[in-house]
Amino acid sequence: MPFNKQRASEPIEFIQLLHLTGDFYGKPFILRDWQKEVISNVYGTIKENGYRQFQYAFLELPKKNGKTETAAALSIYHLVCDDPGGQIYCCAAEKEQAALVYKAAKQMIEQDEELEKLLKVIDSKKEIYNRETGTFLKVLSAEAYSKHGINPTVVIFDELHAQPNRELWDIMTFGAGAARKQPLWWVITTAGDDPDKKSIGWEIHEKACKVRDKELNLPNWYVKIYGAPEKADIYDESVWYAANPSLGITIDIEAIRAEALEAKSSPKVEKLFRWLRLNQWVQLKRVGWLPITLWDDTEKDWNPDLLIGKRCYAGIDLARWIDLAGIACLFPPQEGLDEWKFIIDAWIPEDTMHEHIQIDKVDYEQWHNDGYLNVTSGSVIDYSCIKRHVERIEVLYKVEYYCGDPWHLEILKQLLSTEIANRFIEIPQSIAGMTPGMTALERQFKAKEISHLKQPLGRYCFGCVVVNPDGNENIKPMKNKSIGRIDPIVALINAASGAIKLEKKRSVYEEK
């Protein structure tokens, strides 16, 4: 295929007139060799008629390698250098993700007087217009978009793996841009976490791999994938450098070394390391939370009377018949307590207990006989029993707040006094709502700055927790994916989420 050096160098020269954003704000945008190679090949490879050979450019690489900055710079290049009437779209799964490229582009424009004169930024709409040519950049997400008027010259898909379905991809590719002379679709993404291999992200990744390996002949596709092979030694530093083309520049090698050490002792962290640092497609939707050894290491034999009269946050996770119900009282360090401590209580319906024993393969009846599990009569959990327990801990402890799932809390609140009900706070059972509590507990368990009494039911539930991480290392427990009952530990997470939000600055959370 013909190669035009001038066409290849034009976007490179343009981008290097820009300035970086984020941690490198104000510094010149000096493209790395790998970026020059990709851009040169995409824009310099032409057909006999003089138009670009490649209509699809697929770039897959780990996080923190300059993906967003590169996409933003390319969008500005097309805003300035495309023929009049161009339409540029930045697409992502969510509004916040879709806006990242726009925000980086906006900051680059603000650092250049000539660009500020030429380009009009409409922040309220997340749009940028070229005042002279009418070419515009718009942000689209899978959450909100319109088919009307879409005739793109350039489409930039950011993190294609996160798309909830294929609808936005199909709309932006099938027939779109057909009237343009040389439309271009950039897919700039990391690997995904699709265990079922059914997402549009996996489909396009597989297609790109076949193009790269010459199993599929698509002359209009350019593919560059950075990542570690599936069977590579993930602790070999040469593998890290091969997978991360900007390692040592935008990524600190010492940070990667520290993450690798943590990955050796945690299955969850190992999978995150493979995904985010080595760009491997892994099954992250079923990842264990913490090693059971951390539960064992923090078990102590202190006298529960130590907690009488002490401040605590009571986490609640209620159920009726399928799951357990749990209450966890979490005590922050205070006078008489030099570390975090917690106690767990749980309930199960008597009529379904033996069915649970068969399903879960654990002896709930023995735990009940040993005093580790409460049984309520009937086929559903009797909330009046939980009401009496709440009234008991009100007498024993100074409960600052009761923290839990909004829907279930409302049922229990109706059984309690107004004075107690007024201290109920809602903890959304979402990644945003539960990550703070889980992160805090993870830190406490690993540092052995938290302790609990022997509780075999709690130990079982702790080992059953499966989490659902996102690309920013946020997590939440997944009841439908976990390998057993986790409700008392969810109650503990709710308590921790409330504590980290409401505990005063003397809290160990704030100190750290």
Side-chain angles (χ1 to χ4, degrees), residues 81-102:
C81 299
D82 274 6
D83 292 336
Q87 297 183 14
I88 305 162
Y89 296 94
C90 291
C91 301
E94 299 175 347
K95 292 178 182 178
E96 292 78 9
Q97 183 67 39
L100 291 179
V101 173
Y102 160 81

Side-chain angles (χ1 to χ4, degrees), residues 308-328:
I308 295 176
K310 303 300 183 185
R311 295 186 307 107
C312 72
Y313 295 82
I316 302 177
D317 189 62
L318 299 179
R320 294 313 296 263
W321 56 81
I322 297 177
D323 291 318
L324 307 175
I327 293 183

Side-chain angles (χ1 to χ4, degrees), residues 257-270:
R257 287 169 179 158
E259 291 171 353
L261 281 175
E262 191 173 359
K264 289 182 177 181
S265 60
S266 168
K268 175 183 72 102
V269 177
E270 180 191 322

Side-chain angles (χ1 to χ4, degrees), residues 39 47 78 89 97 100 126 130 181 191 194 240 265 272 290 350-351 361 369 372 413 415 424 459 472 474 510:
I39 294 171
K47 297 183 288 188
H78 285 283
Y89 296 94
Q97 183 67 39
L100 291 179
K126 301 291 186 292
N130 186 315
K181 294 178 180 178
D194 179 12
W240 305 349
S265 60
L272 286 171
L290 295 173
E350 184 176 23
D351 291 356
K361 310 298 183 187
N369 293 336
Y372 298 115
K413 283 170 65 176
L415 302 176
F424 277 47
R459 184 182 189 274
N472 296 312
N474 300 312
E510 293 289 338

Side-chain angles (χ1 to χ4, degrees), residues 352-368:
T352 61
M353 181 170 64
H354 287 91
E355 180 183 349
H356 277 70
I357 291 172
Q358 296 300 315
I359 295 173
D360 299 340
K361 310 298 183 187
V362 292
D363 196 344
Y364 290 113
E365 188 169 23
Q366 185 62 52
W367 286 337
H368 168 59

Side-chain angles (χ1 to χ4, degrees), residues 191-212:
D193 60 342
D194 179 12
D196 301 318
K197 305 294 190 290
K198 294 180 179 179
S199 67
I200 184 61
W202 174 258
E203 177 186 323
I204 302 305
H205 165 82
E206 282 283 86
K207 185 176 185 177
C209 287
K210 290 179 180 178
V211 172
R212 177 198 60 188

